[in-house]
Amino acid sequence: MSTKLPNLNILDLVIIGGGPAGMSAALIAGRSLVDTVVVNAESPRNAVTNASHGFFTRDGAHPSELFETAKAQLAAYGTVQYINDTVTSTRRVPEGFEVSLSNGSVLSTRKLVIATGYTDDLQLLGLAGIEAVYGKSVYPCVFCDGFEHRNERLALFGGEMAIHYAPMIRLWSKDLAVFTNGATIEPEALNALTSHDVPVYLEPIRSLEAHDGRLVAVELESGERIERDAGFISDEYSHPTTTFAQSLGVTSSPTDWGTTALDISEAGATNVADLYVVGDAKTGFSGIVAAAAQGAECVESIVHEIATQRWNRA
Ligand SMILES: Cc1cc2nc3c(=O)[nH]c(=O)nc-3n(C[C@H](O)[C@H](O)[C@H](O)COP(=O)(O)OP(=O)(O)OC[C@H]3O[C@@H](n4cnc5c(N)ncnc54)[C@H](O)[C@@H]3O)c2cc1C
């Protein structure tokens, strides 16, 4: 695949990020003969996992296998250039956007798709030992990894949000314990959990004990050790990888969860003309199949606009 820099002509489309959302967007752009550059720093969120689940026909594939296949298949499309680099800034200009890369080049494009995902900041969890088990036996998503740990002794690490996540996790295993790591939770939530035979440990956690990435036990400050085989996390510890959307003027609104979210349409359009956001960058956590679907749907709507503009100009 070519990594030479594009000429100085204005591109139809630049896609920042080459995870499932960005690569799927690029594939549709290539198939639509749209002049496109994908810039990808190649540090996807799920790089810590060994297997990716739930993407039909590719269930259990290693995340890097999915990426390498996507990259190889994209190479067949002559109007798409793939650049392994990091975008350092984006700027609105009259004809569209300027996108600066860390190699010093600047791309000019009429339309811009941001697919830069989310970053998990494990430090925020304050769980000693989490790095060794994250993505191996402690996970963010029960749909992604619950099946592999069905009927095991599960831990749920979380404070206030645990009550919303516990009923889900119980579908995969009746043996569930909540660890708040020193956080308090509402008495009503505590009662609901214990009355469903979910013990709640409010004490701070000293460390997670693991063997070869496999959770073995949760050790509390008191020294008490509770054996667990795997776990899920309901606390917030992630943030958007980039703030390009906000700095280009995309607005936000409050959500039902007391947070804020970028105002983005179903097809990824924003309040800024010709600027789109897809994948985790849009939702916080899409999963691979939904991220890929968002990338594809977004570029289909972009292609529709380009085709209409060209038709009207002719
Ligand atoms: C531990 C774990 C396990 C998971 N398991 C599953 C699973 O089994 N099944 C499932 O469906 N989902 C799973 N997920 C979720 C899944 O990984 C994400 O939902 C999905 O990868 C989102 O795709 P994306 O393209 O939006 O973002 P990403 O896959 O994160 O890709 C974003 C890309 O943008 C690039 N990028 C970021 N900033 C820049 C920049 N400035 N310039 C250039 N490039 C940039 C990054 O390097 C990266 O390659 C898991 C997530 C985690 C954390």
Side-chain angles (χ1 to χ4, degrees):
M1 181 166 308
S2 169
T3 53
K4 71 178 167 23
L5 298 182
N7 64 34
L8 294 176
N9 290 341
I10 186 159
L11 295 154
D12 290 319
L13 177 62
V14 166
I15 299 167
I16 313 177
M23 293 305 261
S24 169
L27 179 61
I28 301 299
R31 295 188 55 75
S32 308
L33 305 170
V34 168
D35 263 340
T36 302
V37 167
V38 189
V39 188
N40 187 21
E42 298 191 4
S43 54
R45 186 176 187 178
N46 60 355
V48 291
T49 57
N50 296 326
S52 188
H53 300 109
F55 193 158
F56 86 107
T57 74
R58 308 310 311 278
D59 191 32
H62 193 283
S64 66
E65 182 196 331
L66 293 179
F67 171 64
E68 291 303 335
T69 304
K71 206 163 137 181
Q73 291 185 344
L74 197 59
Y77 296 93
T79 61
V80 180
Q81 274 194 309
Y82 177 92
I83 300 177
N84 176 8
D85 202 350
T86 300
V87 170
T88 52
S89 67
T90 53
R91 194 163 77 93
R92 193 82 168 108
V93 290
E95 55 284 0
F97 304 90
E98 279 181 0
V99 177
S100 300
L101 277 56
S102 66
N103 68 10
S105 63
V106 178
L107 307 173
S108 296
T109 180
R110 293 187 184 86
K111 294 179 186 291
L112 179 62
V113 171
I114 296 173
T116 48
Y118 256 53
T119 297
D120 296 328
D121 185 352
L122 297 180
Q123 295 299 315
L124 289 179
L125 292 169
L127 282 174
I130 184 69
E131 285 82 4
V133 291
Y134 189 64
K136 312 282 186 302
S137 60
V138 176
Y139 314 90
C141 162
V142 72
F143 288 106
C144 302
D145 296 289
F147 183 83
E148 283 63 38
H149 298 283
R150 62 196 181 279
N151 303 322
E152 291 185 0
R153 297 169 297 179
L154 300 182
L156 174 58
F157 301 101
E160 270 178 35
M161 293 302 288
I163 186 62
H164 301 289
Y165 215 17
M168 289 286 293
I169 296 180
R170 277 286 291 266
L171 278 181
W172 280 267
S173 175
K174 298 277 175 270
D175 189 345
L176 173 65
V178 167
F179 297 85
T180 73
N181 197 18
T184 51
I185 55 175
E186 293 292 323
E188 207 179 308
L190 190 61
N191 287 340
L193 289 164
T194 50
S195 68
H196 283 85
D197 296 324
V198 177
V200 180
Y201 296 90
L202 297 163
E203 212 180 311
I205 292 169
R206 182 180 290 166
S207 68
L208 305 181
E209 190 184 322
H211 180 70
D212 269 351
R214 183 86 197 202
L215 183 67
V216 172
V218 179
E219 192 185 348
L220 304 176
E221 278 294 348
S222 60
E224 189 182 355
R225 198 176 154 277
I226 296 100
E227 290 188 356
R228 296 285 98 185
D229 305 310
F232 293 88
I233 305 168
S234 63
D235 275 342
E236 266 305 316
Y237 59 104
S238 309
H239 58 81
T241 303
T242 66
T243 53
F244 298 140
Q246 293 90 327
S247 57
L248 287 166
V250 176
T251 54
S252 302
S253 298
T255 68
D256 293 344
W257 297 95
T259 56
T260 56
L262 294 173
D263 299 321
I264 303 166
S265 80
E266 205 175 316
T270 69
N271 56 297
V272 178
D274 301 318
L275 178 63
Y276 306 80
V277 182
V278 292
D280 283 5
K282 172 183 173 185
T283 63
F285 196 106
S286 295
I288 290 174
V289 71
Q294 288 170 41
E297 190 183 4
C298 176
V299 170
E300 281 171 12
S301 78
I302 288 173
V303 169
H304 190 261
E305 277 177 36
I306 291 173
T308 307
Q309 283 162 1
R310 288 183 187 167
W311 178 270
N312 290 338
R313 269 205 309 268

